[in-house]
């Protein structure tokens, strides 16, 4: 039996395969790029006789096998406590779920939550600590909250005269820069700094920028050391060995995340509560769309949007445009708004915090073209790129 496909569909599939081949050729293997945590001798000599706290989660591994907490304990380092960000130390909590402090069952170490009542270590938390290590995998999008946790940890260290050592890790979205730059009035935990949605920096470079641009309270400076990566450049496409949070299970989701997280400020589901979160978008009522999915309660998404309700929309699991175009994709946001019947209910109050301004929402409502929306970002993006250059530790990508 012959299966006939349209010429347009054939060309799309061919282009997708070519993009995947280019991606495979550009990508370095995990073993070729060494994280800051892998460069153990660089930081062990700095902490050998110190009381240490570690800000980390399930991504803080050495050689993709040994967790940094276990490694340090094995080497006789005096680890006093663990500071846990959003999703917790083991990385299984829902997005936005308030976390309680407690003890790690495996090591017996106290865990202090930095997501819930307190985003920032207080003086009592740091009283018995000399040095704070920061080892968390970022994904390079402004609204991914680990850079906000970094900000508050830097601020706490500056206030309490503690040294901070950031163990750098690759940015899987570090090969481009795009999106509106956050405006001060839209500052929140999902966006604390005047940077675009995709900022093209590792977390170590970002820490240097926070310090250098005096973004900490009262323009304080943190006593900061960055343990750099080996064999990394911003043109590399890096496949994460461990999922950075429950709803980013693979690189497809990570590449789509900068575009799809904007939907969290709408009534459109991004697939939380499915086996493919941040790889689909949809909502009830769009029955003219052939693809459908039904969110259910799952670990990491106990109460997903449109729980147990059939949603219709886009299946993006084979989409490669983030890699090929090096841009966030606005088409799905703009098109799903056009298809919505009750447009006044499409956006919620969270959208401007994610976008970083009130302009993007109004541009979508007014039907401004994608080309003109992008032009409205250009001036701020060029200013940011000049700031960014000052803090780069690795070879940059070519635009």
């Amino acid at each position: 039996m012959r299966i006939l496909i349209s010429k347009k569909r054939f060309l799309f599939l061919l282009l997708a395969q070519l993009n995947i081949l280019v991606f495979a050729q550009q990508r370095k293997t995990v073993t070729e790029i060494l994280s800051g945590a892998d460069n153990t001798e660089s930081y062990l000599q700095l902490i050998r006789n110190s009381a240490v706290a570690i800000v980390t989660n399930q991504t803080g591994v050495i050689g993709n096998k040994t967790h940094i907490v276990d490694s340090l304990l094995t080497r006789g380092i005096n680890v006093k406590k663990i500071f846990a960000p959003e999703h917790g130390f083991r990385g299984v909590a829902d997005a936005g779920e308030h976390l309680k402090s407690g003890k790690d069952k495996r090591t017996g170490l106290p865990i202090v939550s930095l997501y819930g009542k307190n985003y920032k270590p207080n003086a009592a938390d740091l009283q018995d600590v000399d040095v704070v290590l920061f080892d968390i995998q970022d994904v390079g999008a402004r609204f991914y909250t680990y850079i906000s946790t970094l900000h508050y940890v830097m601020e706490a260290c500056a206030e309490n005269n503690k040294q901070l050592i950031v163990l750098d890790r690759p940015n899987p979205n570090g090969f481009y820069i795009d999106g509106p730059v956050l405006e001060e009035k839209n500052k929140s935990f999902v966006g604390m700094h005047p940077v675009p949605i995709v900022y093209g920096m590792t977390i170590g470079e970002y820490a240097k920028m926070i310090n250098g641009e005096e973004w900490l309270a009262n323009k304080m400076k943190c006593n900061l050391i960055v343990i750099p990566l080996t064999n990394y450049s911003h043109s590399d496409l890096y496949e994460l060995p461990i999922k950075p949070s429950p709803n980013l299970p693979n690189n497809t989701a990570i590449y789509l995340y900068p575009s799809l997280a904007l939907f969290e400020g709408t009534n459109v589901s991004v697939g939380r509560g499915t086996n493919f979160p941040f790889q689909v978008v949809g909502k009830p009522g769009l029955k003219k769309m052939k693809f459908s999915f039904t969110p259910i309660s799952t670990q990491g998404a106990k109460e997903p949007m449109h729980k147990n309700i059939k949603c219709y929309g886009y299946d993006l699991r084979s989409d490669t445009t983030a890699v090929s175009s090096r841009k966030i994709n606005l088409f799905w946001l703009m098109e799903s708004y056009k298809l919505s019947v009750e447009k006044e209910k499409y956006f919620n109050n969270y959208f401007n915090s994610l976008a970083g301004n009130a302009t993007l929402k109004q541009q979508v409502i007014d039907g401004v073209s994608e080309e003109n929306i992008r032009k409205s970002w250009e001036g701020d993006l060029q200013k940011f790129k000049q700031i960014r250059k000052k803090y780069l530790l690795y070879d940059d990508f070519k635009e």
Side-chain angles (χ1 to χ4, degrees):
M1 181 179 70
R2 291 193 304 163
I3 299 175
L4 299 177
I5 60 174
S6 68
K7 183 178 180 182
K8 183 177 180 182
R9 178 64 176 165
F10 173 78
L11 290 173
F12 172 81
L13 291 172
L14 179 62
L15 180 60
Q17 289 301 312
L18 288 173
N19 285 332
I20 290 168
L21 287 172
V22 171
F23 168 76
Q25 289 173 348
Q26 290 178 339
R27 185 177 65 203
K28 289 187 178 180
T29 64
V30 173
T31 54
E32 289 177 322
I33 297 175
L34 296 179
S35 71
D38 290 315
N39 292 316
T40 52
E41 292 306 315
S42 298
Y43 56 91
L44 284 178
Q45 60 184 327
L46 301 174
I47 64 174
R48 203 173 296 280
N49 299 311
S50 301
V52 178
I54 308 176
V55 188
T56 191
N57 61 8
Q58 78 284 354
T59 64
V61 294
I62 297 172
N64 306 328
K65 294 180 181 179
T66 305
H67 197 280
I68 187 168
V69 172
D70 300 325
S71 173
L72 294 179
L73 291 173
T74 300
R75 293 167 183 269
I77 300 299
N78 181 18
V79 180
K80 304 295 289 187
K81 64 191 66 175
I82 299 163
F83 289 114
E86 184 178 9
H87 304 295
F89 176 46
R90 299 295 176 189
V92 295
D94 282 14
E97 180 179 343
H98 283 206
L99 302 174
K100 295 180 180 179
S101 299
K103 274 194 175 184
D104 178 43
K105 294 179 181 179
R106 197 170 301 175
T107 62
L109 290 171
I111 298 175
V112 179
S113 173
L114 298 182
Y115 195 83
K117 289 184 178 180
N118 299 306
Y119 292 138
K120 178 177 168 180
N122 58 38
D125 294 329
L126 295 174
Q127 188 174 14
D128 58 346
V129 170
D130 301 314
V131 180
V132 178
L133 285 184
F134 189 102
D135 186 22
I136 297 177
Q137 178 63 60
D138 183 36
V139 300
R142 186 185 63 223
F143 26 61
Y144 202 62
T145 60
Y146 296 152
I147 55 173
S148 298
T149 296
L150 172 67
H151 174 106
Y152 282 123
V153 169
M154 290 178 68
E155 202 165 87
C157 287
E159 290 169 346
N160 293 279
N161 196 29
K162 308 294 181 181
Q163 185 172 72
L164 176 66
I165 301 175
V166 173
L167 306 182
D168 211 1
R169 289 189 175 272
N171 177 356
N173 282 307
F175 56 93
Y176 73 110
I177 299 166
D178 199 24
V181 172
L182 181 133
E183 297 174 354
E184 177 68 23
K185 62 184 177 183
N186 293 105
K187 181 177 176 179
S188 71
F189 195 65
V190 292
M192 297 191 67
H193 310 117
V195 303
I197 288 175
V198 183
Y199 45 80
M201 304 176 80
T202 67
I203 203 153
E205 293 171 329
Y206 200 96
K208 286 167 59 69
M209 183 170 65
I210 290 174
N211 240 8
E213 296 303 304
E214 300 181 330
W215 289 339
L216 299 179
N218 302 314
K219 298 187 176 181
M220 293 182 296
K221 290 288 181 73
C222 173
N223 182 3
L224 173 69
I225 295 175
V226 176
I227 305 299
L229 297 153
T230 303
N231 301 327
Y232 174 76
S233 78
H234 283 285
S235 60
D236 294 328
L237 296 176
Y238 179 77
E239 186 169 359
L240 299 188
I242 297 171
K243 65 181 182 181
S245 52
N247 288 287
L248 292 180
N250 52 43
N251 260 43
T252 300
I254 289 166
Y255 289 138
L256 288 168
Y257 177 73
S259 301
L260 300 195
L262 288 169
F263 283 100
E264 305 261 61
T266 72
N267 61 7
V268 177
S269 167
V270 292
R272 292 184 188 270
T274 72
N275 291 327
F276 29 82
F278 286 99
Q279 296 157 82
V280 299
V281 290
K283 57 183 285 190
L286 298 181
K287 294 185 179 180
K288 63 176 66 177
M289 307 296 291
K290 293 182 180 180
F291 175 70
S292 65
F293 60 92
T294 303
I296 61 173
S297 182
T298 60
Q299 186 180 46
K302 297 184 184 70
E303 295 296 329
M305 181 181 290
H306 304 312
K307 178 181 172 182
N308 299 326
I309 302 173
K310 196 170 189 177
C311 297
Y312 299 84
Y314 297 97
D315 182 356
L316 308 175
R317 282 173 284 180
S318 61
D319 188 272
T320 61
T321 54
V323 176
S324 60
S325 70
R326 300 201 299 181
K327 295 177 181 178
I328 63 172
N329 191 311
L330 294 176
F331 171 80
W332 306 309
L333 178 73
M334 299 167 72
E335 193 67 14
S336 60
Y337 175 77
K338 290 178 186 176
L339 294 173
S340 294
V341 176
E342 297 180 294
K343 289 183 170 56
E344 68 280 1
K345 295 181 180 180
Y346 183 81
F347 292 102
N348 60 44
N349 293 333
Y350 194 40
F351 186 84
N352 290 350
S353 296
L354 295 168
N357 62 30
T359 308
L360 180 58
K361 173 182 174 180
Q362 196 58 50
Q363 287 171 323
V364 173
I365 292 171
D366 292 344
V368 177
S369 69
E370 181 172 345
E371 180 183 1
N372 286 331
I373 290 175
R374 291 187 177 281
K375 284 180 180 178
S376 71
W377 303 341
E378 194 54 40
D380 288 338
L381 278 179
Q382 291 305 319
K383 290 177 185 176
F384 169 75
K385 288 176 183 179
Q386 293 305 311
I387 293 170
R388 171 183 173 272
K389 283 182 180 179
K390 297 187 289 184
Y391 305 106
L392 295 183
L393 296 171
Y394 315 102
D395 290 341
D396 204 3
F397 57 81
K398 293 181 180 180
E399 294 194 73

